[in-house]
Amino acid sequence: MSLVCFILFGAQFSFAQTFTNPLLPSGADPWSIYKDGYYYYTNSMQNRLVIWKTKNLADLKTAEKKTIFIPPAGKAYSKELWAPEIHFINGKWYVYFAADDGNNNNHRMYVLENSSKDPLKGNWVFKGKVGDATNKWAIDGSVFTYQNQLYMIWAGWEGDINQKQEIFIAKMKNPWTIDGERHKISSPEFEWEKHGDLNDAGNPPHVDVNEGPQILINKGKVFLIYSASGCWTDFYALGMLTLKGKNLLDVSSWEKSTQPVFKQSPENGVYAPGHNSFFKSPDGKEDWILYHANSAPGQGCGGKRSPRAQKFTWNADGSPNFGIPVKANQELNIPSQKK
């Protein structure tokens, strides 16, 4: 790992200029945002919500971190806290997460709010459940603003039975309230989206999966990147929807790519890459993908999943080119810094 040294008030500091994946030994569903000179990072911890704060991605393993929420016992959101995301909206911080009471059938989405400038300070207030009127199973909530309208996207069930996970979208009245109906915009349809056999008496024999939706906007073009197939399989991969129409709530406005845009690389020792997020470099010139993956086949959905980051580029048509997952321990330059 290369270092750049500088002197401040007579003290010498070292700033790592390279890093290697994984960023942490374990951590599924990684999310990061860069704001006011710091990266704020979080991932699934199951029983609590934790935020990391660091100026340098390479220092995540030793970064300052704080537990911001431990749910009280006996609530609908006391267990299985999944896929937290931290967002800054209208001058306040929000953390969205899915949780249940210990029964996966009861997973719903929830949100916390903090008015402090620094999300590791101040008070996190539990704002409650975020859901549409159907109150169906829901996980992996993410929010974004497009043409001055706030939206939420998530993975959900059409009905009340675990058969298929699909992508839904709805407008939001404010950061904690969905406005109107949910609209389904993606369902597993290709072979690579349908690896989902389960060998567990407590679950159905097979589940098709679209989950982990993330919006990516480039020069006015809107893409929705999602995870497909079961995370318990090595075939977990990223798919892409491209907005072709004007109404984000209309399934006909979206065109699905027929092949995954990011998938396992056995030659690089990376399996089941998915549940990603995106962030910009500090100077705003580079685009980065953050995702989790396994280091060996057959490791499934457990604690062996680790967070990884790599830079990506853009194709001539404006769509993202994620390349292939890089090898663990391959030295990479950190995101480009402000001059």
Side-chain angles (χ1 to χ4, degrees):
M1 183 178 288
S2 61
L3 300 172
V4 168
C5 296
F6 59 94
I7 296 175
L8 180 64
F9 302 124
Q12 181 172 300
F13 296 87
S14 294
F15 195 75
Q17 293 299 293
T18 60
F19 73 98
T20 60
N21 285 315
L23 300 173
L24 294 172
S26 177
D29 315 325
W31 168 269
S32 181
I33 184 174
Y34 184 81
K35 180 169 172 41
D36 298 334
Y38 289 94
Y39 292 99
Y40 296 100
Y41 168 92
T42 187
N43 60 226
S44 291
M45 301 290 285
Q46 292 289 341
N47 61 356
R48 62 194 187 279
L49 300 177
V50 179
I51 298 174
W52 285 251
K53 177 183 180 180
T54 179
K55 280 187 171 291
N56 186 4
L57 187 76
D59 294 333
L60 193 57
K61 290 175 183 174
T62 57
E64 177 186 5
K65 62 182 179 180
K66 182 179 181 181
T67 297
I68 64 161
F69 182 68
I70 298 176
K75 300 292 186 181
Y77 51 89
S78 294
K79 298 182 178 180
E80 295 184 311
L81 279 65
W82 291 355
E85 292 192 4
I86 179 168
H87 294 262
F88 190 76
I89 307 170
N90 298 332
K92 295 182 180 181
W93 291 99
Y94 293 90
V95 168
Y96 297 88
F97 64 100
D100 66 24
D101 57 0
N103 180 347
N104 175 51
N105 293 311
N106 297 327
H107 257 113
R108 300 295 187 271
M109 297 180 297
Y110 300 88
V111 64
L112 307 172
E113 181 187 74
N114 188 344
S115 58
S116 173
K117 184 177 180 181
D118 183 341
L120 269 67
K121 298 178 181 177
N123 295 315
W124 282 96
V125 178
F126 181 71
K127 297 290 287 186
K129 184 166 65 176
V130 187
D132 68 294
T134 66
N135 191 30
K136 302 298 185 184
W137 186 91
I139 63 168
D140 297 350
S142 187
V143 298
F144 68 98
T145 298
Y146 181 68
Q147 294 183 346
N148 298 316
Q149 172 65 52
L150 185 65
Y151 293 88
M152 174 171 267
I153 45 177
W154 69 92
W157 295 348
E158 184 73 46
D160 297 313
I161 301 172
N162 187 9
Q163 296 176 319
K164 187 187 297 184
Q165 290 177 216
E166 300 169 295
I167 305 297
F168 293 87
I169 186 172
K171 289 183 178 181
M172 299 194 78
K173 191 178 303 182
N174 54 47
W176 59 92
T177 310
I178 284 178
D179 185 12
E181 298 179 1
R182 67 174 185 168
H183 300 264
K184 184 169 65 177
I185 55 173
S186 183
S187 184
E189 54 183 297
F190 298 115
E191 178 271 338
W192 53 271
E193 299 179 283
K194 295 184 176 182
H195 295 275
D197 285 350
L198 283 157
N199 299 299
D200 178 357
N203 281 298
H206 181 95
V207 177
D208 292 339
V209 176
N210 280 181
E211 66 179 16
Q214 294 289 324
I215 287 293
L216 182 61
I217 299 176
N218 179 42
K219 297 179 179 177
K221 293 191 174 183
V222 180
F223 306 94
L224 188 153
I225 310 300
Y226 63 95
S227 299
S229 284
C231 65
W232 54 93
T233 75
D234 294 335
F235 297 97
Y236 200 55
L238 298 183
M240 182 172 76
L241 303 177
T242 302
L243 183 66
K244 297 293 186 178
K246 294 183 178 180
N247 183 4
L248 278 67
L249 306 180
D250 186 347
V251 64
S252 66
S253 290
W254 298 93
E255 181 179 284
K256 179 179 287 192
S257 296
T258 58
Q259 297 295 325
V261 292
F262 195 64
K263 61 182 181 179
Q264 64 172 320
S265 174
E267 63 275 21
N268 282 352
V270 182
Y271 298 86
H275 204 110
N276 70 288
S277 60
F278 302 106
F279 64 92
K280 288 276 191 182
S281 59
D283 66 1
K285 295 179 180 178
E286 294 177 351
D287 292 282
W288 286 72
I289 181 171
L290 180 66
Y291 61 97
H292 73 229
N294 287 322
S295 297
Q299 291 184 332
C301 280
K304 294 186 182 296
R305 293 176 294 175
S306 56
R308 299 137 189 260
Q310 62 191 73
K311 187 168 62 171
F312 70 90
T313 58
W314 300 95
N315 297 311
D317 66 356
S319 63
N321 184 339
F322 300 122
I324 62 173
V326 298
K327 294 179 181 178
N329 301 317
Q330 177 180 329
E331 197 164 274
L332 303 171
N333 290 327
I334 64 170
S336 54
Q337 305 295 301
K338 293 179 180 178
K339 302 298 184 184

